[in-house]
């Protein structure tokens, strides 16, 4: 079979023979023309192959051969209820040769009026050229039916099935028999690879780099560009700690394997609500008032700078809920219990005497987050530890995500862990050899975050709503 228009080929196609492989021969959309199909840009060039997977009737354009008027019919067309009795509702019949001064549908042989074709049956008899039919529910004249199909096809290096209208102005040639050996390569997103652990390890070529703004301030992320060759070794599960440096406005992700040492720093609280949020079962919180706070009448005495409070827990329900605290007295004064309203202001700092040095894992085991720390010893395995120069670090929350462990083919000494939830892009897997990462491969234990990504992560935490990012200067 030689080349046919796409419309001719699809209308004469037997659906039971699918899938079929077509080659684009010529037409309006060739030589790299880009156009939009179903909301997606697609490019068909002469020589491109399509693997037709399914054909779905979308509509039928009904053309009146006398007036030239066209009507769009849905596939479910049944016609009007008031059709002439000799022509069943919405059924089509072959149109006889026209005779002068005779209505087209009345020379029909007696008895044929009880028979007819549904719209779907009529379109199935489409053979290269539409045949004239009669349907009095539409017109007294003969009609030509032009079906329009939606063709579902696979293309080389396209992730999704392409949906193409049969009216696309291209010529195609059926090459199914000679192209049986051709494999239509489908790109994968990293998120798909993560669910296909059986294909790893594998080499991968980046087809499209990450979209959207950057998330890490790291050089390895900049290398994730089109054409870059990667080695994807395995799927794993990584644990990070989200951290921020209040004095500098910088934000980080710390891997659980980070080997620096920390000392706890006293936490600061603005208002009674923050004291309530820091309460943990079986733990008492000791704070010192750092700013005078006016009382609320006789029930709530004022809080003075230097007052030492032991936060004990909540009492009451609903609007009457109060925070029970014990205020320690001076040398000649007795202590007293206070019931503080939750919307009371004030400024407090945690009272603590803990000079112990903690590893990250040990700190997380003993100290609920968030907490304030200072790095007193940098990680000895890092050539440059950005955390060692910071006066304070606030550990916000623990994050746990599945990741892909990989290295660069050019530069395998640098390893990385990618969470497709944060950084997803399309790759093409290949069957090239994959060498396991060397023991000396450097892992990223500290990632500095962009400000936008930090607030995005903060908003995803299951705790209280994240504060909005700072407004840009005017």
């Amino acid at each position: 079979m030689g080349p046919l228009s796409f419309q001719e080929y699809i209308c004469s196609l037997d659906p039971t023979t699918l899938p079929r492989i077509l080659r684009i021969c010529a037409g309006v959309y060739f030589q790299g023309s880009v156009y939009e199909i179903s909301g997606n840009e697609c490019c068909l060039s002469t020589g491109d192959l399509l693997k037709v997977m399914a054909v779905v009737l979308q509509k039928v354009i009904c053309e009146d051969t006398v007036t030239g008027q066209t009507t769009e019919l849905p596939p479910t067309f049944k016609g009007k209820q008031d059709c002439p009795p000799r022509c069943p509702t919405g059924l089509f019949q072959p149109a006889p040769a026209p005779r002068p001064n005779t209505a087209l549908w009345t020379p029909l042989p007696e008895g044929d009026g009880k028979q007819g074709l549904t719209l779907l049956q009529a379109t199935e008899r489409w053979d290269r050229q539409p045949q004239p039919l009669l349907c009095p529910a539409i017109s007294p004249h003969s009609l030509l039916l032009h079906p329009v199909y939606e063709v579902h096809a696979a293309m080389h290096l396209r992730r999704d099935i392409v949906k193409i209208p049969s009216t696309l102005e291209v010529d195609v040639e059926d090459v199914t028999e000679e192209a049986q050996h051709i494999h239509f390569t489908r790109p994968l997103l990293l998120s798909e690879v993560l669910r296909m652990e059986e294909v790893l390890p594998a080499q991968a070529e980046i087809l499209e780099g990450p979209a959207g703004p950057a998330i890490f301030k790291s050089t390895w992320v900049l290398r994730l560009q089109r054409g870059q060759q990667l080695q994807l070794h395995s799927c794993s599960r990584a644990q990070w700690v989200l951290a921020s440096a209040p004095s500098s406005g910088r934000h980080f992700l710390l891997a659980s394997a980070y080997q620096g040492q920390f000392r706890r720093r006293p936490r600061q609280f603005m208002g009674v609500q923050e004291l309530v949020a820091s309460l943990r079962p079986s733990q008492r919180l000791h704070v010192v008032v750092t700013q005078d706070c006016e009382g609320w009448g006789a029930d709530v005495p004022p809080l003075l700078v230097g007052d030492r409070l032991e936060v004990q827990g909540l009492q009451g329900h609903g609007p009457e809920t109060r925070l029970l605290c014990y205020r320690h007295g001076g040398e000649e004064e007795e202590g007293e219990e206070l019931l503080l309203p939750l919307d009371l202001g004030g400024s407090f700092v945690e009272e603590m005497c803990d000079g112990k040095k903690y590893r990250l894992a040990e700190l997380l085991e003993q100290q609920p987050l968030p907490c304030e720390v200072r790095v007193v010893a940098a990680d000895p395995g890092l050539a440059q530890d950005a955390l060692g120069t910071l006066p304070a670090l606030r550990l916000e929350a623990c994050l746990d995500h599945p990741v892909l462990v990989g290295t660069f083919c050019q530069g395998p000494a640098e390893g990385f862990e990618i969470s497709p939830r944060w950084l997803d892009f399309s790759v093409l897997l290949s069957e090239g050899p994959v060498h396991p990462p060397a023991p000396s491969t450097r892992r990223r234990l500290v990632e500095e975050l962009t400000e936008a990504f930090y607030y995005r992560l903060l908003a995803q935490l299951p705790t209280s709503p994240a504060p909005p990012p700072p407004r840009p200067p005017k």
Side-chain angles (χ1 to χ4, degrees), residues 294-306:
E294 294 184 3
W296 285 14
D299 295 334
V300 182
L303 301 178
L304 305 177
V305 173

Side-chain angles (χ1 to χ4, degrees), residues 111-125:
D112 284 358
K114 297 180 180 180
Q115 301 175 356
L117 303 173
T118 65
L119 181 62
L120 291 178
Q121 290 172 331
T123 55
E124 288 173 357
R125 298 193 176 196

Side-chain angles (χ1 to χ4, degrees), residues 86-103:
R86 295 185 60 191
C87 183
T89 301
L91 295 184
F92 294 83
Q93 296 178 338
R99 297 177 183 175
N101 303 319
T102 305

